[in-house]
Amino acid sequence: GNDLDIFLMGHSWGGTLGTAFMIKEDYQQELTGWIEVSGAHDIPMLNKAAIRMFIQIGEDEVGKGHNTDAWQPILEFARSVDTNRITIDQGASINEHGFTAEELIADINPGTSSIGLFRHIFFSPTNPLTSWLSGNHTSDLLNQEVENLAMTNDLDKIHIPSLFIWGKYDFVVPPHLAYSAFDRVSSATKELVIFEHSGHSPMDNQPDLFVEEVSDFIDRVR
């Protein structure tokens, strides 16, 4: 109908796809707003920021005596990486270490991931095995292209209302990308919300707050 409003929201890889859509000429006119949640719109920036997070937060956690044995291999890896020449294999390792690091942070709410997995396996309209296999195959095919994908310099093309939601302890797609995107978009209406007790999936770690922030943003700009 004439009162229809469409908002584009994507999480992680969805942030990559969403940004690619948003920076295309004339596509934004189809939307009322954009919501990026921990979006990977710049992989080289992501990798460098993740290495910094591993070292900064990892050293702080070790200094406090938290999970020292588990942090050591992450810190050793991070210190060994030349951030001016990060390889594709190192990029994959950064992603893996990112998820591991989140499991070591006590301030991250446990969320409902186990319940979500149960529902996905037994009640999802899609086959989880097929999704996993096709997802990994697609990842392999896109790996070379994605590791060099950087859309930060095009973010100023985005001018519609935008909301950025990130977890404070997102080692997979660090909050540095959120601050960078918020600064660069040309939107007159833009908001950045950092969830203090979340990692890469704030909709899982702090679901009530996530729903509240998304709903409030939509209500304000529609």
Side-chain angles (χ1 to χ4, degrees), residues 24 59 96 101 162 204 217:
K24 296 292 191 299
E59 289 182 346
E96 293 173 5
S162 300
D204 182 46
F217 174 74

Side-chain angles (χ1 to χ4, degrees), residues 54-92:
F54 289 150
I55 295 173
Q56 179 183 355
I57 295 180
E59 289 182 346
D60 183 60
E61 289 290 292
V62 169
K64 294 176 180 176
H66 298 164
N67 300 304
T68 55
D69 291 341
W71 273 110
Q72 288 305 329
I74 299 176
L75 286 169
E76 289 174 7
F77 165 76
R79 291 168 182 150
S80 73
V81 174
D82 179 356
T83 54
N84 293 315
R85 294 190 302 175
I86 296 177
T87 67
I88 291 177
D89 288 341
Q90 287 174 329

